[in-house]
PDB file of all heavy atoms in Angstrom:
ATOM      1  N   ASP A 969      55.437  29.475 -17.627  1.00 84.00           N
ATOM      2  CA  ASP A 969      55.290  28.810 -16.330  1.00 84.00           C
ATOM      3  C   ASP A 969      56.326  27.703 -16.174  1.00 84.00           C
ATOM      4  O   ASP A 969      56.895  27.517 -15.091  1.00 84.00           O
ATOM      5  CB  ASP A 969      53.880  28.226 -16.197  1.00 84.00           C
ATOM      6  CG  ASP A 969      52.826  29.310 -16.032  1.00 84.00           C
ATOM      7  OD1 ASP A 969      53.194  30.429 -15.641  1.00 84.00           O
ATOM      8  OD2 ASP A 969      51.636  29.015 -16.290  1.00 84.00           O
ATOM      9  N   LYS A 970      56.546  26.961 -17.239  1.00 85.00           N
ATOM     10  CA  LYS A 970      57.508  25.871 -17.177  1.00 85.00           C
ATOM     11  C   LYS A 970      58.908  26.393 -16.875  1.00 85.00           C
ATOM     12  O   LYS A 970      59.642  25.831 -16.054  1.00 85.00           O
ATOM     13  CB  LYS A 970      57.493  25.092 -18.494  1.00 85.00           C
ATOM     14  CG  LYS A 970      58.431  23.909 -18.511  1.00 85.00           C
ATOM     15  CD  LYS A 970      58.331  23.164 -19.834  1.00 85.00           C
ATOM     16  CE  LYS A 970      59.279  21.980 -19.864  1.00 85.00           C
ATOM     17  NZ  LYS A 970      59.217  21.240 -21.151  1.00 85.00           N
ATOM     18  N   THR A 971      59.275  27.484 -17.545  1.00 85.00           N
ATOM     19  CA  THR A 971      60.600  28.059 -17.316  1.00 85.00           C
ATOM     20  C   THR A 971      60.747  28.549 -15.882  1.00 85.00           C
ATOM     21  O   THR A 971      61.782  28.323 -15.223  1.00 85.00           O
ATOM     22  CB  THR A 971      60.841  29.222 -18.291  1.00 85.00           C
ATOM     23  OG1 THR A 971      60.736  28.728 -19.639  1.00 85.00           O
ATOM     24  CG2 THR A 971      62.219  29.836 -18.090  1.00 85.00           C
ATOM     25  N   TYR A 972      59.701  29.202 -15.382  1.00 85.00           N
ATOM     26  CA  TYR A 972      59.775  29.730 -14.017  1.00 85.00           C
ATOM     27  C   TYR A 972      59.819  28.601 -12.986  1.00 85.00           C
ATOM     28  O   TYR A 972      60.628  28.638 -12.053  1.00 85.00           O
ATOM     29  CB  TYR A 972      58.581  30.641 -13.743  1.00 85.00           C
ATOM     30  CG  TYR A 972      58.540  31.148 -12.323  1.00 85.00           C
ATOM     31  CD1 TYR A 972      59.411  32.130 -11.884  1.00 85.00           C
ATOM     32  CD2 TYR A 972      57.637  30.607 -11.415  1.00 85.00           C
ATOM     33  CE1 TYR A 972      59.395  32.594 -10.579  1.00 85.00           C
ATOM     34  CE2 TYR A 972      57.606  31.055 -10.094  1.00 85.00           C
ATOM     35  CZ  TYR A 972      58.489  32.044  -9.688  1.00 85.00           C
ATOM     36  OH  TYR A 972      58.460  32.471  -8.384  1.00 85.00           O
ATOM     37  N   VAL A 973      58.960  27.598 -13.156  1.00 84.00           N
ATOM     38  CA  VAL A 973      58.940  26.476 -12.207  1.00 84.00           C
ATOM     39  C   VAL A 973      60.287  25.763 -12.215  1.00 84.00           C
ATOM     40  O   VAL A 973      60.811  25.369 -11.167  1.00 84.00           O
ATOM     41  CB  VAL A 973      57.796  25.500 -12.539  1.00 84.00           C
ATOM     42  CG1 VAL A 973      57.909  24.231 -11.708  1.00 84.00           C
ATOM     43  CG2 VAL A 973      56.456  26.166 -12.286  1.00 84.00           C
ATOM     44  N   ALA A 974      60.855  25.593 -13.401  1.00 85.00           N
ATOM     45  CA  ALA A 974      62.159  24.938 -13.495  1.00 85.00           C
ATOM     46  C   ALA A 974      63.224  25.742 -12.766  1.00 85.00           C
ATOM     47  O   ALA A 974      64.109  25.181 -12.096  1.00 85.00           O
ATOM     48  CB  ALA A 974      62.540  24.748 -14.960  1.00 85.00           C
ATOM     49  N   SER A 975      63.145  27.073 -12.862  1.00 87.00           N
ATOM     50  CA  SER A 975      64.132  27.914 -12.170  1.00 87.00           C
ATOM     51  C   SER A 975      63.965  27.828 -10.664  1.00 87.00           C
ATOM     52  O   SER A 975      64.950  27.811  -9.919  1.00 87.00           O
ATOM     53  CB  SER A 975      64.004  29.368 -12.642  1.00 87.00           C
ATOM     54  OG  SER A 975      62.729  29.896 -12.299  1.00 87.00           O
ATOM     55  N   VAL A 976      62.710  27.734 -10.183  1.00 84.00           N
ATOM     56  CA  VAL A 976      62.481  27.584  -8.743  1.00 84.00           C
ATOM     57  C   VAL A 976      63.017  26.243  -8.258  1.00 84.00           C
ATOM     58  O   VAL A 976      63.670  26.147  -7.212  1.00 84.00           O
ATOM     59  CB  VAL A 976      60.982  27.724  -8.417  1.00 84.00           C
ATOM     60  CG1 VAL A 976      60.715  27.400  -6.953  1.00 84.00           C
ATOM     61  CG2 VAL A 976      60.503  29.137  -8.741  1.00 84.00           C
ATOM     62  N   ILE A 977      62.729  25.184  -9.019  1.00 83.00           N
ATOM     63  CA  ILE A 977      63.214  23.853  -8.638  1.00 83.00           C
ATOM     64  C   ILE A 977      64.740  23.822  -8.635  1.00 83.00           C
ATOM     65  O   ILE A 977      65.373  23.257  -7.733  1.00 83.00           O
ATOM     66  CB  ILE A 977      62.647  22.789  -9.596  1.00 83.00           C
ATOM     67  CG1 ILE A 977      61.127  22.704  -9.449  1.00 83.00           C
ATOM     68  CG2 ILE A 977      63.279  21.426  -9.336  1.00 83.00           C
ATOM     69  CD1 ILE A 977      60.478  21.774 -10.450  1.00 83.00           C
ATOM     70  N   ALA A 978      65.333  24.441  -9.650  1.00 83.00           N
ATOM     71  CA  ALA A 978      66.800  24.468  -9.722  1.00 83.00           C
ATOM     72  C   ALA A 978      67.389  25.224  -8.539  1.00 83.00           C
ATOM     73  O   ALA A 978      68.414  24.818  -7.960  1.00 83.00           O
ATOM     74  CB  ALA A 978      67.230  25.108 -11.041  1.00 83.00           C
ATOM     75  N   ALA A 979      66.724  26.325  -8.136  1.00 83.00           N
ATOM     76  CA  ALA A 979      67.227  27.103  -7.007  1.00 83.00           C
ATOM     77  C   ALA A 979      67.084  26.347  -5.698  1.00 83.00           C
ATOM     78  O   ALA A 979      67.946  26.446  -4.817  1.00 83.00           O
ATOM     79  CB  ALA A 979      66.474  28.432  -6.934  1.00 83.00           C
ATOM     80  N   GLN A 980      66.017  25.580  -5.550  1.00 80.00           N
ATOM     81  CA  GLN A 980      65.769  24.869  -4.302  1.00 80.00           C
ATOM     82  C   GLN A 980      66.592  23.594  -4.184  1.00 80.00           C
ATOM     83  O   GLN A 980      66.956  23.177  -3.082  1.00 80.00           O
ATOM     84  CB  GLN A 980      64.274  24.516  -4.189  1.00 80.00           C
ATOM     85  CG  GLN A 980      63.348  25.710  -4.104  1.00 80.00           C
ATOM     86  CD  GLN A 980      63.558  26.516  -2.833  1.00 80.00           C
ATOM     87  OE1 GLN A 980      63.882  25.981  -1.764  1.00 80.00           O
ATOM     88  NE2 GLN A 980      63.438  27.838  -2.944  1.00 80.00           N
ATOM     89  N   THR A 981      66.860  22.945  -5.322  1.00 80.00           N
ATOM     90  CA  THR A 981      67.521  21.642  -5.285  1.00 80.00           C
ATOM     91  C   THR A 981      68.978  21.683  -5.730  1.00 80.00           C
ATOM     92  O   THR A 981      69.731  20.734  -5.470  1.00 80.00           O
ATOM     93  CB  THR A 981      66.761  20.648  -6.173  1.00 80.00           C
ATOM     94  OG1 THR A 981      66.767  21.121  -7.539  1.00 80.00           O
ATOM     95  CG2 THR A 981      65.326  20.479  -5.695  1.00 80.00           C
ATOM     96  N   GLY A 982      69.363  22.734  -6.458  1.00 81.00           N
ATOM     97  CA  GLY A 982      70.736  22.818  -6.933  1.00 81.00           C
ATOM     98  C   GLY A 982      70.990  22.101  -8.236  1.00 81.00           C
ATOM     99  O   GLY A 982      72.141  22.035  -8.688  1.00 81.00           O
ATOM    100  N   ILE A 983      69.940  21.581  -8.892  1.00 85.00           N
ATOM    101  CA  ILE A 983      70.126  20.910 -10.182  1.00 85.00           C
ATOM    102  C   ILE A 983      70.088  21.946 -11.294  1.00 85.00           C
ATOM    103  O   ILE A 983      69.747  23.112 -11.076  1.00 85.00           O
ATOM    104  CB  ILE A 983      69.041  19.837 -10.410  1.00 85.00           C
ATOM    105  CG1 ILE A 983      67.656  20.494 -10.460  1.00 85.00           C
ATOM    106  CG2 ILE A 983      69.086  18.784  -9.322  1.00 85.00           C
ATOM    107  CD1 ILE A 983      66.540  19.485 -10.780  1.00 85.00           C
ATOM    108  N   SER A 984      70.419  21.499 -12.492  1.00 86.00           N
ATOM    109  CA  SER A 984      70.438  22.421 -13.622  1.00 86.00           C
ATOM    110  C   SER A 984      69.020  22.740 -14.098  1.00 86.00           C
ATOM    111  O   SER A 984      68.058  22.049 -13.769  1.00 86.00           O
ATOM    112  CB  SER A 984      71.242  21.813 -14.774  1.00 86.00           C
ATOM    113  OG  SER A 984      70.603  20.648 -15.259  1.00 86.00           O
ATOM    114  N   GLN A 985      68.947  23.803 -14.898  1.00 85.00           N
ATOM    115  CA  GLN A 985      67.656  24.205 -15.447  1.00 85.00           C
ATOM    116  C   GLN A 985      67.071  23.115 -16.341  1.00 85.00           C
ATOM    117  O   GLN A 985      65.866  22.839 -16.293  1.00 85.00           O
ATOM    118  CB  GLN A 985      67.823  25.504 -16.246  1.00 85.00           C
ATOM    119  CG  GLN A 985      66.563  26.048 -16.874  1.00 85.00           C
ATOM    120  CD  GLN A 985      65.686  26.804 -15.894  1.00 85.00           C
ATOM    121  OE1 GLN A 985      66.103  27.041 -14.758  1.00 85.00           O
ATOM    122  NE2 GLN A 985      64.495  27.180 -16.319  1.00 85.00           N
ATOM    123  N   ALA A 986      67.922  22.466 -17.131  1.00 87.00           N
ATOM    124  CA  ALA A 986      67.451  21.415 -18.035  1.00 87.00           C
ATOM    125  C   ALA A 986      66.910  20.225 -17.255  1.00 87.00           C
ATOM    126  O   ALA A 986      65.872  19.641 -17.605  1.00 87.00           O
ATOM    127  CB  ALA A 986      68.577  20.978 -18.964  1.00 87.00           C
ATOM    128  N   ASP A 987      67.644  19.849 -16.194  1.00 87.00           N
ATOM    129  CA  ASP A 987      67.167  18.722 -15.383  1.00 87.00           C
ATOM    130  C   ASP A 987      65.849  19.059 -14.676  1.00 87.00           C
ATOM    131  O   ASP A 987      64.966  18.208 -14.531  1.00 87.00           O
ATOM    132  CB  ASP A 987      68.222  18.347 -14.343  1.00 87.00           C
ATOM    133  CG  ASP A 987      69.464  17.724 -14.964  1.00 87.00           C
ATOM    134  OD1 ASP A 987      69.343  17.213 -16.100  1.00 87.00           O
ATOM    135  OD2 ASP A 987      70.546  17.744 -14.325  1.00 87.00           O
ATOM    136  N   ALA A 988      65.708  20.310 -14.265  1.00 85.00           N
ATOM    137  CA  ALA A 988      64.460  20.723 -13.621  1.00 85.00           C
ATOM    138  C   ALA A 988      63.290  20.656 -14.603  1.00 85.00           C
ATOM    139  O   ALA A 988      62.189  20.196 -14.256  1.00 85.00           O
ATOM    140  CB  ALA A 988      64.612  22.135 -13.068  1.00 85.00           C
TER     141      ALA A 988
END
Side-chain angles (χ1 to χ4, degrees):
D969 289 340
K970 182 178 180 181
T971 301
Y972 176 74
V973 171
S975 63
V976 173
I977 295 174
Q980 296 295 326
T981 61
I983 63 176
S984 65
Q985 180 80 8
D987 291 338

